[in-house]
Amino acid sequence: MTALDWVVLAGTLGFIAIYGAWKSRDVRDIDGYLRGGNTLAWPTIGLSIMATQASAITFLSTPGQAYQDGMRFVQFYFGLPLAMIVIAAVFVPIFHRLKVYTAYEYLEHRFDGRVRTLGALLFLIQRGLAAGITIYAPSIILSTVLGWPLHLTNLGMGLFVVAYTVSGGTRAVSQTQKQQMIVMLSGMAVAGVVILFNLPDTVSLPHAVKLAGALDRMNPVSFQLDFESRYNFWSGIAGGFFLALAYFGTDQSQVGRYLAGRSVTESRLGLVFNGLFKIPMQFGILFIGVLVFVFYLFTPPPVFFNAPALERVARGPHAAELAALEARYDAAFAAQRGAAEAYVVALERGAGEEGARAALRAAHGATQQLREEARALVAKAVPGAETKDADYVFISFVLRYLPHGIVGLLIAVILCAAMSSVSSELAALGSTSVIDLWKRFGPLAARTGTPRADLLVSKGFTVLWGLVASGFATFASLLDNLIQAVNILGSIFYGTVLGLFVVAFFFKRITATPVLVGALVAQATVIALFFASDLGFLWYNVVGCGVVVLVSAVLQALGVSSRPPR
């Protein structure tokens, strides 16, 4: 990075942090810290909801996902608009009427304290671990740019976001997320334009789409019903609906965003805004990854995108083996580029497309095989090194090929996404720990029950969860792709939590003990499916929710609990 990049990066992050501190300067109690004083309008809520979900993983890992697997990940979001409608119609008015700080308070109103505690604990486990993955994503950038070990950048990123979150709470997070979201979208749009201008003059946008399609990267929709496939239309509509319903309706990191709305209408409009724009945004980010893939058909990519790991191999005893592999890779790339150029010529002529396409696929297969050999060499030469390099694809492209100044902006985009998402997660973890556990079970809760004391305890829990997440971030290097990993982790727990709320909202005769047992059975079932089956992870949400409803209904019918519902 040049001096200009550092100025752009520091200026963008500095402005956002100072703006957030200024907007939250009057936060003095737990209501202002956790709910922002219920002052937020719908544009702020909508952008805050989008920014909370659009973590650094979105802008770092999603293009890498598209580079390796194409556009089909967009189907993951097909159920989201439907979920926004249900949440706006059912969840929002109930939460606002009860004036809850967290979603799990409602479970005690409806059932009892045991169910509330279970819901809160499942959230804390899932979101606490997911925050670690979210911290790991920007740590990759800092490690790549600064050349520091990942464990140091994990800790540094965690401490930075903790300080940012503790300084202002929900209001600072929500207010700054507007600016962060604008920076994010603007930066990705600039990246897309730069990629197009860096393609060969003979390759137009339609040509780029055709090239990507020839190599199975333009695959946004599949109507094949395959329960083992992670991404198809049916898993997106069904599993994606349940996942979005659970995430936006029961996950405190999202519920806290619209609980801060000044009215039910403002909260509903913010959710609808997110439902309308989320799919186009994700499609655009995935398409940028596809454009990077096409770019690397004509410009030599590294044989392995994790540059620090590759440099360690080059400095070690396997350097000669790596040099020989890279020479073979260069030759294979030259053949692939020739095949890509021939395919473009065939497209222009309107003849010979099938043969040119087959030749391109064969040439690309040869380069992919050599990439697999490079991955195996890294694993052999550097034991314990991260060998899954999809998350390094986009940042590698940014650092190598984007103009000065734009590099700083794009890194600011990814760090802004990290700040917005992790800060929301930590604020939610802190608020849930205080409201749902500490104030009910804490040994000093009765003596520290003043608004000022509650505020200090909430900040203390925020710091604690930040340290836990930073520690778990070191585990993230073992995961295949961050954008998939964070959604798999959520799917393991979300179905059960959603089942608690579905029973609470729609099955008024079911009481506490049946739903508690149903939730425990559902969670055990989903964990068993995760370890013992090939079921696509989006279906975990359907299974978890369904088992809670079914088991609790059966137990209620058998008379397990005779207590009347609340």
Side-chain angles (χ1 to χ4, degrees):
M1 284 179 46
T2 66
L4 178 60
D5 293 316
W6 283 110
V7 168
V8 172
L9 174 60
T12 303
L13 297 182
F15 168 76
I16 288 173
I18 293 170
Y19 179 81
W22 179 72
K23 292 292 287 187
S24 59
R25 62 193 184 280
D26 58 342
V27 172
R28 295 290 183 270
D29 56 29
I30 196 167
D31 183 73
Y33 185 73
L34 300 184
R35 291 194 303 199
N38 296 104
T39 59
L40 301 185
W42 71 264
T44 300
I45 295 170
L47 290 172
S48 180
I49 289 171
M50 290 180 69
T52 297
Q53 190 181 25
S55 67
I57 296 172
T58 300
F59 297 96
L60 184 68
S61 187
T62 303
Q65 169 79 10
Y67 183 93
Q68 286 198 331
D69 194 44
M71 298 286 295
R72 68 193 188 109
F73 183 73
V74 76
Q75 297 168 112
F76 173 84
Y77 297 96
F78 282 1
L80 187 147
L82 299 176
M84 294 300 98
I85 295 172
V86 174
I87 294 169
V90 179
F91 290 52
V92 171
I94 292 175
F95 290 156
H96 269 271
R97 184 174 68 250
L98 294 176
K99 299 185 183 301
V100 296
Y101 286 103
T102 74
Y104 317 107
E105 289 182 79
Y106 169 70
L107 294 177
E108 184 168 11
H109 283 276
R110 172 62 176 82
F111 297 115
D112 62 18
R114 298 173 302 163
V115 179
R116 174 184 179 179
T117 301
L118 177 62
L121 287 174
L122 290 176
F123 163 73
L124 290 172
I125 294 170
Q126 183 277 134
R127 185 49 58 191
L129 299 181
I133 301 176
T134 312
I135 287 173
Y136 177 75
S139 297
I140 291 175
I141 299 171
L142 296 177
S143 176
T144 303
V145 172
L146 301 176
W148 294 355
L150 265 173
H151 68 275
L152 289 181
T153 56
N154 282 332
L155 181 60
M157 191 70 214
L159 293 176
F160 174 74
V161 179
V162 165
Y164 165 75
T165 306
V166 168
S167 65
T170 292
R171 188 182 301 179
V173 170
S174 297
Q175 290 290 349
T176 57
Q177 281 176 329
K178 288 190 298 183
Q179 286 72 30
Q180 289 166 338
M181 201 67 208
I182 293 170
V183 171
M184 293 176 207
L185 296 180
S186 300
M188 295 304 286
V190 169
V193 172
V194 170
I195 296 169
L196 286 174
F197 274 101
N198 278 279
L199 292 175
D201 294 338
T202 57
V203 179
S204 64
L205 179 58
H207 289 150
V209 172
K210 286 281 189 178
L211 283 163
L215 296 172
D216 301 324
R217 296 311 191 272
M218 290 303 298
N219 50 354
V221 182
S222 170
F223 289 100
Q224 181 181 2
L225 180 59
D226 182 357
F227 289 100
E228 294 184 5
S229 172
R230 287 180 172 179
Y231 309 116
N232 56 58
F233 176 84
W234 308 109
S235 67
I237 285 291
F241 168 76
F242 279 87
L243 177 58
L245 196 64
Y247 177 52
F248 293 98
T250 71
D251 189 307
Q252 184 59 27
S253 66
Q254 284 291 358
V255 174
R257 308 279 69 75
Y258 55 81
L259 284 181
R262 63 173 64 135
S263 67
V264 171
T265 299
E266 299 286 348
S267 296
R268 283 173 165 170
L269 287 173
L271 286 165
V272 171
F273 174 87
N274 179 62
L276 290 175
F277 287 98
K278 184 63 179 179
I279 294 177
M281 185 187 82
Q282 292 298 135
F283 184 93
I285 296 171
L286 284 165
F287 189 64
I288 287 172
V290 169
L291 290 178
V292 171
F293 173 80
V294 174
F295 172 84
Y296 277 132
L297 292 178
F298 299 96
T299 301
V303 69
F304 189 69
F305 282 98
N306 185 346
L310 198 63
E311 289 171 3
R312 291 178 66 184
V313 179
R315 294 194 302 266
H318 295 272
E321 190 177 350
L322 175 61
L325 178 60
E326 288 181 324
R328 293 164 54 206
Y329 183 72
D330 291 341
F333 170 78
Q336 177 184 269
R337 175 168 182 157
E341 291 170 343
Y343 184 62
V344 172
V345 171
L347 290 175
E348 286 292 323
R349 291 177 178 174
E353 292 181 29
E354 287 300 318
R357 182 174 182 271
L360 175 60
R361 291 176 67 88
H364 179 66
T367 62
Q368 293 304 104
Q369 178 58 40
L370 291 169
R371 275 181 42 78
E372 289 299 322
E373 292 183 27
R375 183 175 289 112
L377 177 60
V378 171
K380 180 176 69 173
V382 189
E386 183 182 2
T387 59
K388 302 173 181 69
D389 65 341
D391 296 317
Y392 290 84
V393 169
F394 187 60
I395 188 60
S396 175
F397 168 80
V398 168
L399 293 175
R400 283 171 175 256
Y401 298 107
L402 262 59
H404 300 318
I406 301 299
V407 173
L409 177 63
L410 263 295
I411 293 178
V413 165
I414 299 172
L415 293 180
C416 279
M419 291 165 59
S420 66
S421 186
V422 180
S423 60
S424 295
E425 292 171 338
L426 294 183
L429 289 164
S431 63
T432 302
S433 298
V434 171
I435 300 299
D436 295 299
L437 298 181
W438 174 263
K439 288 179 72 66
R440 299 177 64 238
F441 306 115
L444 302 177
R447 283 181 284 164
T448 59
T450 66
R452 178 65 179 171
D454 289 342
L455 175 61
L456 293 176
V457 172
S458 183
K459 290 185 176 184
F461 274 111
T462 300
V463 173
L464 176 63
W465 280 109
L467 296 176
V468 170
S470 298
F472 184 72
T474 59
F475 171 78
S477 62
L478 303 177
L479 304 174
D480 184 18
N481 179 268
L482 297 181
I483 191 68
Q484 292 190 85
V486 75
N487 287 308
I488 292 172
L489 180 61
S491 295
I492 292 173
F493 294 95
Y494 276 147
T496 302
V497 179
L498 177 61
L500 294 175
F501 283 87
V502 167
V503 172
F505 289 142
F506 301 109
F507 296 85
K508 297 298 184 182
R509 298 193 62 80
I510 295 179
T511 51
T513 298
V515 78
L516 183 68
V517 175
L520 295 173
V521 172
Q523 193 58 64
T525 301
V526 172
I527 292 174
L529 287 173
F530 173 72
F531 285 107
S533 78
D534 294 322
L535 184 68
F537 73 84
L538 281 175
W539 295 106
Y540 297 165
N541 302 281
V542 182
V543 172
C545 182
V547 170
V548 174
V549 174
L550 179 62
V551 172
S552 60
V554 170
L555 292 178
Q556 186 69 37
L558 294 175
V560 169
S561 175
S562 58
R563 287 189 298 168
R566 297 188 183 184

